[in-house]
Amino acid sequence: MSLLTSAVSMTKAMVRIDSTDPGTYEKAMADWIEQQLSDLPNVIITRKEVLPGRPNLMAEISGPGELPALVMICHMDTVVIGDGWTMPPFEAIEKDGRIYGRGACDMKSGLACCLSAFIMAARTLQTSGQTPKRSLKLICSIDEEDFMRGSEACIRSGWITSKDWVIDAEPTNGQIQMAHKGRTWYEIDVEGHTAHASTPWKGADAIAAMAEIISTLRQNILDAPSHPDMGISTVTFGQITGGYRPYVVPDHCKLWIDMRLVPPLSTAKTTKFVQSAIRLAEEKVTGVKASYTITGDRPPIEMNPDSPLLAELKKACHHVTGLQPEVSCFTGYTDTAVIAGQLHNRNCMSYGPGCLEAAHQPDEWVVIDDILRCEKVYHQLIASNIL
């Protein structure tokens, strides 16, 4: 396979590699990326298996240790194909100035921009013979679309520190996105006991109790204060199971909840909401018992307007586009948010091609001009801070 250098060409090549999660996963992507990097001078490549057949990959150009490293982290996995496609998801079709395919937007085009900039840095340093101003790392992670175990493994491995400048190339619609809502997940189980639907008072309706819990929690979140940067907290009751047949009082119900929280809400505060909602439901529906488990706890990440990486990225954007980029909140949760939350790193942010509305959709797409813009911005960021 011949090596590619442009972000557009690399986007097409990566879209043609199925790395769905769950599905084929990331190994073929890691193999392809490693091949692109394998012949570069003065580049250290580290590959570490996080889950069976699912490796994280890091390429590093070592510089002086006095300054923070510039770390570009991009995930290799995509969501599943899903239904509703009108064109093949893995052929990287180019049409009307766009590239179509699963992962084109989220985030193989962003990874391509970072890979292009990393290759440019390695070749420029070889030609000039100069020493980089600071270390440059490209980390390709697994599992971002699921439990984010790839970025957590990078932290455990020491690939990223609390002092590093960390950026991902998630789709940000031309903006720099720094703040993140927190993400808290709950599972709630309600147990009752069965009875004939014609004599429901002889049973304990687990689904009715869960309805009380849902109603209470929904109102709790609606009543919560908003945040000037992040907006409002939200709750989604994403999945529910329970019961047997319409004529049987259900003796069990299970609910999965996704909360996106902004300060002053936190997991500790919403857990009190959950506990209170359970108590009320047990009072209103006699005979039921409910319990909960916290299955995800990601803290909110607030803006850091004093971040030196933010200042440098804004300069690079202005140099390329002639405009000052808007700095906003990323509505989802990314690898850099995990790093910011676990390491208390105040220099983590997102900037990449595409818009989040196109991600995870049938006929997923990215605008080619977006790729070209972001590729230039990453080249400029590295030229100013590495070369």
Side-chain angles (χ1 to χ4, degrees):
M1 181 185 293
S2 61
L3 300 185
L4 305 175
T5 56
S6 79
V8 172
S9 297
M10 288 192 287
T11 297
K12 292 179 180 179
M14 287 190 280
V15 167
R16 294 182 183 117
I17 300 171
D18 180 353
S19 57
T20 45
D21 177 8
T24 306
Y25 296 113
E26 305 90 350
K27 183 180 181 299
M29 274 285 292
D31 292 343
W32 185 88
I33 294 166
E34 187 170 3
Q35 184 176 20
Q36 306 307 302
L37 297 165
S38 59
D39 293 331
L40 294 175
N42 302 314
V43 172
I44 302 167
I45 298 176
T46 307
R47 184 172 173 137
K48 189 165 185 178
E49 192 168 83
V50 180
L51 297 165
R54 302 181 66 185
N56 279 341
L57 188 70
M58 178 174 68
E60 180 178 7
I61 299 171
S62 296
E66 296 81 12
L67 295 176
L70 174 58
V71 180
M72 302 178 292
I73 182 167
C74 302
H75 64 87
M76 297 179 287
D77 59 327
T78 73
V79 296
V80 297
I81 301 171
D83 298 325
W85 287 74
T86 65
M87 54 184 70
F90 299 118
E91 291 187 15
I93 300 296
E94 181 178 335
K95 181 180 178 183
D96 299 329
R98 296 177 176 183
I99 296 171
Y100 289 85
R102 178 53 84 219
C105 174
D106 186 13
M107 63 176 296
K108 291 183 176 180
S109 55
L111 173 52
C113 292
C114 293
L115 180 56
S116 168
F118 187 92
I119 292 171
M120 177 276 296
R123 290 178 174 171
T124 300
L125 290 168
Q126 178 190 30
T127 301
S128 66
Q130 67 194 88
T131 301
K133 297 175 186 176
R134 66 179 79 233
S135 293
L136 176 65
K137 296 181 181 180
L138 172 65
I139 295 176
C140 306
S141 67
I142 70 157
D143 198 51
E144 194 272 350
E145 297 290 4
D146 197 4
F147 292 101
M148 298 181 169
R149 290 168 288 191
S151 53
E152 291 178 336
C154 291
I155 294 169
R156 292 194 301 270
S157 299
W159 289 7
I160 304 170
T161 74
S162 61
K163 296 180 180 179
D164 290 336
W165 293 1
V166 189
I167 186 169
D168 66 54
E170 294 278 3
T172 61
N173 201 26
Q175 301 174 3
I176 299 170
Q177 296 182 332
M178 193 174 196
H180 295 261
K181 293 183 180 184
R183 191 195 72 185
T184 302
W185 286 348
Y186 294 95
E187 292 180 11
I188 298 181
D189 290 277
V190 177
E191 297 298 326
H193 60 88
T194 58
H196 196 284
S198 65
T199 56
W201 56 87
K202 293 183 179 181
D205 191 329
I207 292 178
M210 192 68 83
E212 296 288 347
I213 292 170
I214 290 171
S215 178
T216 300
L217 290 177
R218 183 174 181 274
Q219 195 60 51
N220 288 153
I221 299 302
L222 286 173
D223 291 342
S226 63
H227 187 277
D229 294 325
M230 302 184 210
I232 61 171
S233 294
T234 61
V235 58
T236 299
F237 305 101
Q239 187 178 359
I240 190 168
T241 63
Y244 303 100
R245 301 293 290 171
Y247 45 80
V248 179
V249 173
D251 65 351
H252 66 276
C253 186
K254 187 178 185 71
L255 174 68
W256 289 261
I257 301 174
D258 179 304
M259 292 185 182
R260 302 296 168 126
L261 305 179
V262 305
L265 280 192
S266 64
T267 299
K269 292 180 179 179
T270 57
T271 297
K272 291 181 180 178
F273 292 165
V274 170
Q275 292 167 343
S276 177
I278 285 174
R279 285 195 299 270
L280 287 171
E282 289 175 343
E283 291 172 5
K284 290 186 174 183
V285 183
T286 304
V288 301
K289 289 294 179 184
S291 60
Y292 71 92
T293 305
I294 301 170
T295 58
D297 183 4
R298 306 285 191 192
I301 308 300
E302 298 206 56
M303 293 280 193
N304 177 20
D306 298 324
S307 162
L309 173 58
L310 178 61
E312 290 300 314
L313 182 55
K314 288 168 74 174
K315 286 180 188 176
C317 290
H318 183 263
H319 179 88
V320 170
T321 67
L323 303 172
Q324 288 294 343
E326 180 182 349
V327 181
S328 66
C329 172
F330 197 96
T331 55
Y333 215 81
T334 69
D335 279 342
T336 53
V338 173
I339 294 159
Q342 292 196 11
L343 292 179
H344 305 289
N345 185 317
R346 299 278 284 155
N347 286 286
C348 294
M349 60 204 66
S350 305
Y351 180 81
C355 58
L356 205 59
E357 292 76 17
H360 299 191
Q361 298 294 323
D363 294 339
E364 180 179 349
W365 52 269
V366 65
V367 174
I368 290 174
D369 283 348
D370 264 11
I371 301 174
L372 297 174
R373 167 179 52 82
C374 290
E375 181 180 31
K376 291 174 183 175
V377 167
Y378 274 99
H379 279 235
Q380 180 60 35
L381 180 67
I382 287 175
S384 299
N385 292 278
I386 302 295
L387 306 179

